[in-house]
Amino acid sequence: MKKALTKSVLVVSAFFLIAGCKSTAVGTIETVTPSSSDNELLIYTVWPASYVKEEIFQRQIGQPLQKKFPDLKIKHIHWDNPGRQYKDLIAAGTIPDIIMDDSHLNLNRYIIDNDLQYDMRELIKKYNFDTDKLNKPSMDRMKNITKEGAIYGLPFQIGDYILFYNKDIFDKFGVDYPKDGMTYDEAYELAKKLTRVDGEITYKGYSQNPGHYMNYNQLSLNPLHSTENKANLSTDGWKKLVDNMRRFYEIPANQFDTVENFSKGNIAMAIASSDRIVKFYEDNKNLNFDIASVPFFNELPDTRYQPNVNSIYITKQSTKKDQAFQVISYLLSEEAQIELSKEGIVGSLQTQAVKEAFGKNLPQMKGKHTESIFYGKYADATPARAPGLTYHLVNTQGVFAPLIFLESKDTVTALRMTEERETKAILAEKAAKDELNKAANK
């Protein structure tokens, strides 16, 4: 294990050099030593980000586990910068038993690149855990990480995207509210009607983060090539996706504005994750808003984004894999998922009872059309790539900012330039990792 961890530190250090990030000095971490006791588990949370607040983690995770497993002691560390990143824990020898993290952002570049991944298939079989009960596209997203079908994590929470709309703006201009099942064409027509300059106030009809729109796109397109170490953006599918979104920002006065400004009251419609129901309310308690499903493509009716999955992983280095899996099994049970749903969390278990419990503990949800959160079906997960390829987190946002928003590039040019830039980054990362792996294996 020592050799593997040494290799991990080298690889993660390479990532930070490539990304141009500052490396935090080892030693700043508040060391939490994993106990050798069989009744203690160390859980490391990166996403959900809300678990940076210990009281939220304890209410949603710690206390339910304590009640279910009274003899079990849970130790918790949440990601923080500086001092509690993956590289800091590894350097300090503090390897968690369980990790909770974003699958799209961090599974490949942190868990796999640091040699922390563990294939859970044997434990799934041993404990007769039914993965079919979990949301299928979320489970497919985890199965499609490798061609071999290894399951390095189980989907736990989903950061579902929904359409928020400001009822006062719709009322002011006499426009009907959005409805579940609306197409992008219909949303575009609404955006044109609602983008107006009224005195000193500019009302924006529609706002959406283009990076999220493309990362979890409804067409199930992968920005990475399936068989080669390069980006794959110069396709008709990506052109269709980009053209569909850029028309909204070409409406005069509807230039891109962060969706976080929705709470300020001048954006008519904004696409954001479901947890923003609470945040927008806290930002502006006078905001008169409701929600609907995200818009759909005409040829893919009722097909929303691919699931934005936060998963639970067991580390390869854990000596308590059985206990860890029992904890995960409970967190994915209907009993536990109902309680999380009451907290406004969309889980990977979506039985009718779980859906009906959504937001029951949160007064901010009262009167909101929460059925919209579960409307339609998820887009299919992208297929697994060929074995041995370098993973790279493609900067899809870069197609729009700066190339389209600031430089007014046409769609084909913006996609080609992004593809070329990201392919260079992929090859540079591969070369750096190859060199470090050679050094580590000497």
Side-chain angles (χ1 to χ4, degrees):
M1 187 174 78
K2 183 176 180 181
K3 183 176 181 180
L5 291 180
T6 301
K7 177 181 176 181
S8 299
V9 173
L10 285 170
V11 171
V12 80
S13 298
F15 169 80
F16 275 86
L17 288 173
I18 293 168
C21 300
K22 292 183 179 179
S23 177
T24 304
V26 173
T28 58
I29 184 173
E30 178 185 332
T31 303
V32 179
T33 305
S35 172
S36 59
S37 172
D38 288 337
N39 69 337
E40 290 188 1
L41 289 176
L42 177 59
I43 299 179
Y44 179 48
T45 59
V46 183
W47 289 95
S50 58
Y51 291 160
V52 68
K53 295 182 179 180
E54 187 63 23
E55 65 271 21
I56 296 179
F57 174 84
Q58 289 300 330
R59 184 173 73 248
Q60 295 181 359
I61 304 295
Q63 292 170 10
L65 289 179
Q66 191 66 58
K67 182 178 179 181
K68 179 66 177 179
F69 306 101
D71 295 329
L72 182 68
K73 182 177 180 181
I74 298 293
K75 292 183 177 180
H76 173 232
I77 302 175
H78 184 76
W79 186 97
D80 195 13
N81 182 19
R84 292 187 175 188
Q85 298 179 30
Y86 279 91
K87 60 189 178 70
D88 302 313
L89 267 65
I90 291 169
T94 307
I95 308 301
D97 299 292
I98 292 173
I99 296 172
M100 295 181 179
D101 202 351
D102 182 299
S103 302
H104 173 75
L105 290 176
N106 294 336
L107 170 55
N108 283 277
R109 64 173 180 163
Y110 288 143
I111 295 176
I112 294 177
D113 277 0
N114 282 303
D115 198 31
L116 299 173
Q117 77 279 6
Y118 170 72
D119 188 350
M120 297 168 66
R121 284 181 292 182
E122 286 189 11
L123 288 175
I124 289 170
K125 182 178 180 181
K126 177 178 179 180
Y127 289 98
N128 197 29
F129 182 86
D130 183 12
T131 59
D132 289 340
K133 72 180 183 179
L134 303 179
N135 172 261
K136 186 178 184 302
S138 299
M139 196 63 225
D140 288 345
R141 200 168 179 89
M142 302 311 301
K143 289 179 178 178
N144 290 356
I145 297 298
T146 68
K147 280 286 189 182
E148 297 78 16
I151 300 175
Y152 293 140
L154 291 174
F156 177 46
Q157 297 182 12
I158 304 173
D160 268 340
Y161 290 95
I162 51 179
L163 184 145
F164 292 79
Y165 62 94
N166 187 318
K167 297 170 75 173
D168 288 342
I169 297 178
F170 278 81
D171 292 343
K172 178 180 177 67
F173 297 118
V175 178
D176 291 338
Y177 299 151
K179 295 180 180 179
D180 293 339
M182 180 174 62
T183 66
Y184 277 107
D185 289 343
E186 291 169 329
Y188 177 66
E189 293 304 317
L190 287 180
K192 287 194 296 184
K193 293 178 182 178
L194 294 162
T195 302
R196 305 191 186 189
V197 178
D198 186 40
E200 296 182 355
I201 301 176
T202 298
Y203 292 99
K204 293 180 179 292
Y206 189 93
S207 184
Q208 181 169 12
N209 183 303
H212 296 162
Y213 164 76
M214 294 197 287
N215 287 339
Y216 307 103
N217 69 84
Q218 292 149 296
L219 303 183
S220 301
L221 304 173
N222 193 335
L224 293 171
H225 199 281
S226 61
T227 59
E228 300 179 50
N229 271 320
K230 65 180 186 179
N232 186 40
L233 293 164
S234 296
T235 68
D236 290 341
W238 281 106
K239 182 179 184 301
K240 175 183 177 63
L241 200 73
V242 172
D243 281 342
N244 177 60
M245 183 52 52
R246 75 177 295 164
R247 60 175 167 163
F248 285 87
Y249 294 119
E250 290 175 345
I251 299 171
N254 195 53
Q255 292 83 9
F256 176 69
D257 194 355
T258 172
V259 297
E260 299 303 326
N261 284 340
F262 178 77
S263 58
K264 294 181 179 180
N266 71 318
I267 298 176
M269 296 181 289
I271 305 295
S273 54
S274 56
D275 63 339
R276 292 302 191 270
I277 297 176
V278 175
K279 185 179 186 303
F280 289 151
Y281 172 84
E282 295 299 328
D283 287 348
N284 181 358
K285 292 183 173 58
N286 295 318
L287 189 68
N288 183 19
F289 73 94
D290 208 340
I291 60 176
S293 66
V294 296
F296 303 125
F297 285 95
N298 293 330
E299 65 273 30
L300 292 170
D302 297 341
T303 300
R304 59 187 193 262
Y305 294 167
Q306 298 169 63
N308 175 17
V309 183
N310 296 324
S311 296
I312 313 183
Y313 311 88
I314 297 174
T315 61
K316 178 187 298 184
Q317 293 79 9
S318 173
T319 59
K320 306 164 192 173
K321 294 182 177 67
D322 285 87
Q323 295 93 325
F325 190 80
Q326 291 173 48
V327 162
I328 292 172
S329 295
Y330 174 69
L331 291 175
L332 293 173
S333 69
E334 186 174 61
E335 176 186 344
Q337 293 272 300
I338 285 175
E339 293 306 310
L340 287 169
S341 186
K342 290 179 181 179
E343 293 284 311
I345 293 170
V346 178
S348 59
L349 183 70
Q350 297 184 358
T351 63
Q352 190 60 34
V354 170
K355 293 177 181 179
E356 291 175 354
F358 188 82
K360 296 297 185 184
N361 290 351
L362 303 175
Q364 302 95 322
M365 299 288 185
K366 187 176 181 180
K368 298 292 185 288
H369 186 59
T370 55
E371 293 87 349
S372 298
I373 294 170
F374 301 101
Y375 184 89
K377 61 184 179 181
Y378 290 103
D380 293 335
T382 55
R385 300 173 71 213
L389 296 177
T390 298
Y391 175 81
H392 171 74
L393 186 63
V394 174
N395 178 19
T396 56
Q397 176 103 357
V399 174
F400 281 88
L403 296 179
I404 290 175
F405 289 157
L406 298 179
E407 300 176 18
S408 301
K409 295 288 192 291
D410 64 85
T411 298
V412 171
T413 300
L415 286 167
R416 175 180 54 77
M417 291 177 68
T418 303
E419 180 178 278
E420 291 172 353
R421 183 192 67 230
E422 296 298 308
T423 296
K424 288 180 181 178
I426 292 168
L427 296 176
E429 287 183 26
K430 181 180 185 304
K433 288 178 182 179
D434 286 347
E435 286 299 314
L436 288 168
N437 285 334
K438 287 180 184 178
N441 290 323
K442 284 183 179 180

